Each structure stands twice: as structure tokens, then as C-alpha cells.
Amino acid sequence: MDNSGNTLIGLIAGTAIGVALGVLFAPDKGEVTRKKLADEAATAQANLSETAADLKERVMDTLSSDPSALENGIEGLISNASFKAEDIISALEKKLRELKAKNRKLKKSTK
């Protein structure tokens, strides 16, 4: 499921970059360029729909073959988020200590 999400993000990013470059380097008249962009957008939408349908099918297959997969996935996500939160809190506490130390030095230098 992770690869499908990455594929979807890559598809969206690639489409956006392609459209932007197409507009920037378009040698055609505006009407022709707009038609090309509309065609590319339709193709991207079809690809996106296909990828989303594939992702949905994979999720449904996983859930039907292993009902506990969703629960395990959610538990893993919560656990991962908890570790990330702890890392963020530790980084903020470290930064707070650094700022307090700088504040003490600043107060000493102004006396």
C-alpha cells in the first residue's frame, strides 16, 4: 500500500511539473496550448482514477484476506506517531535548554 501511495504522489507531481513546463515552453498559440493542457489533464485524471481504483482494490483484498491487518496498521501508525511526538518533544526541550542558556549569558553580559 505504501508503494501505491508513493506512485499516486509521483503521478500527481509529475503531472503538475509536466503541465507547468508545457505552458512555459509552448510554441503554439494559446488556444492550441489550452487544448493540449486539457488533453493532458484528462489523461492525468484517468491515470489518477485508475491508480486510486487499484489502491482501493488492494486495500479491500488485504482487509478481506486478513481482517486484523487494518487494526495492526492503525496500531503501527499510532505507535509511529507516538515515537515521532517523543522525538519532537525531545528536540523542543533541547532547544528550550539552549535558549535558557543563551538568556542567562545575555543577562550576565548586561550586568
Side-chain angles (χ1 to χ4, degrees), residues 31-80:
E31 184 178 321
V32 175
T33 300
R34 286 190 294 277
K35 172 73 170 123
K36 286 180 180 179
L37 289 175
D39 291 344
E40 287 296 319
T43 301
Q45 182 180 13
N47 289 338
L48 184 60
S49 295
E50 185 179 317
T51 302
D54 182 50
L55 181 60
K56 179 183 175 185
E57 185 178 318
R58 287 184 188 187
V59 168
M60 295 306 288
D61 288 345
T62 300
L63 290 177
S64 64
S65 66
D66 185 8
S68 64
L70 179 62
E71 185 177 327
N72 291 338
I74 291 172
E75 287 177 8
L77 182 63
I78 291 171
S79 176
N80 191 22

